[in-house]
Amino acid sequence: MSSKNLEKLYREKLKDLEMNPNPAVWNKIENSLITQKKSKRKVIYWCFSGATVAALFLLGLFLYQPHPKELIASKKETTEQSSKKQDSTNTVNNKNTSETNQENNNKTPTNKKTIVKNTVVATSEKKQTFSPKKKEVKQQQTQPTLASIYNSKTQTKKTEFTVVGTNEKHTPVSSIKDKKLITAISKPSITDTVLGTQKKNLEKELLAKNPLEEQHDQKDSFRNFWSIAPMISQYVYGSFSDKSTVDPRLDDAEKTGQRTTAYGFNVAYQVSKKIKIKTGIHRITMLQTTNNNALSGVIKISSFQNSSPKLIESSDSSFDQNANSLTSQIVTLNDELAKSSTQNNELEQRFGYIEIPMEANYGLYQTNQLSFYVVGGFSTLFLTENNLEIESNGFSYSEGEATNLNSINFSLNIGTDIEYHFSEKWFLNVNPTFKLQTQTFSKSSNTPYLFGISSGINFKF
Amino acid sequence: MNINEIIKKCQKNNSKAQATLYELYAPKLYAICYKYSKNTQEAEDNLHDGFLTIFKKINQFKHQGSFEGWMKRIMINTALEKYRKDKVFPLINEESIEEVDTLDIDDETIKLETLLNGIQNLPNRYRLVFNLYILDGYSHKEIGNMLEISEGTSKSNLSRAKVLLKKELTQSQQQNLNTFYDEF
């Protein structure tokens, strides 16, 4: 039995030990890798399906925009609808008339009167007709009236004129009594007067309808358009909670949200004069620094509750040397920090995302050159950058990365958008926004937000 | 396929390359996990978690320095991570520490299994300190930083670990002798 140093014994026997693990471990690793790939695919699928839905929505809006011809048709329909309203009164009257007609079947009408009435009706049709479609409707509606006129006797004539009168709105004829009416109609001069009155009324009606036409014209002048713009934004990071996202021990430390710049581009579609839908892709970064003298007391390699160290590769080939160089760096850092404990230390947390916003603008004030919108929407953010860095008197060291950041985050966005259209094709927009982050941290209830302003030169097409 | 090709393929998430990498390095890395863990189950869990981290972070490996060293560090970190939040470590009276410089033991007959069992049976922090200091060459200062303990605590933990190991090994040796005599 030889006396042997325990340390030496262990070093010799266990240093380069190799052991074969249970084959089940690899199966488990393989399964985990497959699940990871699947969940990655799910995220990509989710992202793409979201983008597809957005794209389809925009495309749908684009395709379903009424064609100029359809616009005319719809305009006619509107006119028809208004005339139908009038005609419905007629129909009621017609019904009454036809009932009366049936009652007075045997009695014969006066030809003269009928002719005059026909003329009146015909003239009124001519004047009233704004479009061929309307004419058709008019004819359809007036035909039974005419037919009833032929069969009606003196008593019904009043009703007939009432019909025409109602058609023309407030035609004095409606108040004319039977006898007077017969006399009046038999006299061509009075007929002229009647026609004249109707003409005036029709003109009034036309005038009254003009604003409608103008409205249509105005609508015609609006064209849906797309716009695309490279955007640059400045954001300031903030949080509703004082709690540290890195370590609860830093809850009391002073935290400052830093200003960061974001880049990207926007695509927008003007759905109607007031509504615009926007999406895009942006690269944004959030940055918060924690200032604390006590920081050095807390800092130890990967000692933060919500952090894990980033591995640093060394050029040395031996593992032990590597390990030593890595740890000596850490030791240097901690020494430095310990020395500077009375000075200002900073922990900088930086995390970046690819942001895909989906927003709707609603126009509150619009002139030819200037538009003012309120903006609401949401963004999906995909984590791309995650870094914790300690800075102390110009000495900085990467502490690793936060382990409590979700890979996907959502934000609720509200803001305003001011557009200045300086040419037919180009406009400048300035967009102050508040973005409330909802799913940033997995283990912390901390709700950060971004407040910032974006701007870009937009091209319309 | 050389190791650089395997790494490059692993960086592209190639399943075959991942399997090859595992085949090549699992025995070495499993031994590390085994030494840092209290039992086989925990060692297997660490090997699983460690390899997943390796595959996840393999893009960060820039082909500078030893790849094996890089993987070993990941495995050690995985093992340490398990205990990092475990703040309940046994407190020891530093005065009661006796130095264990020599060990009366037959290094020819001692079984590897006995040595490994000795480590695994140590309290968690003693085991970590013993492994980091004796087997992986970290200094007490470094260990202090890694485990959030003071340098002194690291030293006393190591001494305590050695005392416990000596006891365990001596007992084991005694048992072996007894069995040997019983056979006669």
Side-chain angles (χ1 to χ4, degrees), chain A residues 24-35:
Chain A
V25 180
W26 171 245
N27 296 337
K28 217 175 147 192
I29 293 172
E30 218 175 8
N31 286 337
S32 303
L33 287 170
I34 292 166
T35 324

Side-chain angles (χ1 to χ4, degrees), chain A residues 300-328:
Chain A
K300 281 190 185 104
I301 180 68
S302 36
S303 60
F304 293 124
Q305 190 178 305
N306 300 323
S307 79
S308 77
K310 245 180 206 163
L311 291 144
I312 300 162
E313 291 84 42
S314 151
S315 54
D316 300 328
S317 54
S318 138
F319 161 63
D320 282 343
Q321 278 173 348
N322 270 349
N324 287 335
S325 68
L326 167 71
T327 41
S328 61

Side-chain angles (χ1 to χ4, degrees), chain A residues 306-355:
Chain A
N306 300 323
S307 79
S308 77
K310 245 180 206 163
L311 291 144
I312 300 162
E313 291 84 42
S314 151
S315 54
D316 300 328
S317 54
S318 138
F319 161 63
D320 282 343
Q321 278 173 348
N322 270 349
N324 287 335
S325 68
L326 167 71
T327 41
S328 61
Q329 250 181 305
I330 298 157
V331 172
T332 323
L333 164 82
N334 284 309
D335 285 351
E336 285 281 331
L337 289 172
K339 276 176 210 159
S340 61
S341 60
T342 48
Q343 289 147 353
N344 202 22
N345 297 318
E346 254 185 19
L347 171 71
E348 188 181 273
Q349 182 173 30
R350 178 188 289 271
F351 42 109
Y353 295 93
I354 292 288
E355 181 201 24

Side-chain angles (χ1 to χ4, degrees), chain A residues 119-121 123-124 190-200:
Chain A
T119 329
V120 171
V121 173
T123 327
S124 70
I190 293 172
T191 316
D192 285 345
T193 326
V194 173
L195 286 172
T197 328
Q198 283 176 346
K199 211 174 177 179
K200 275 180 191 168

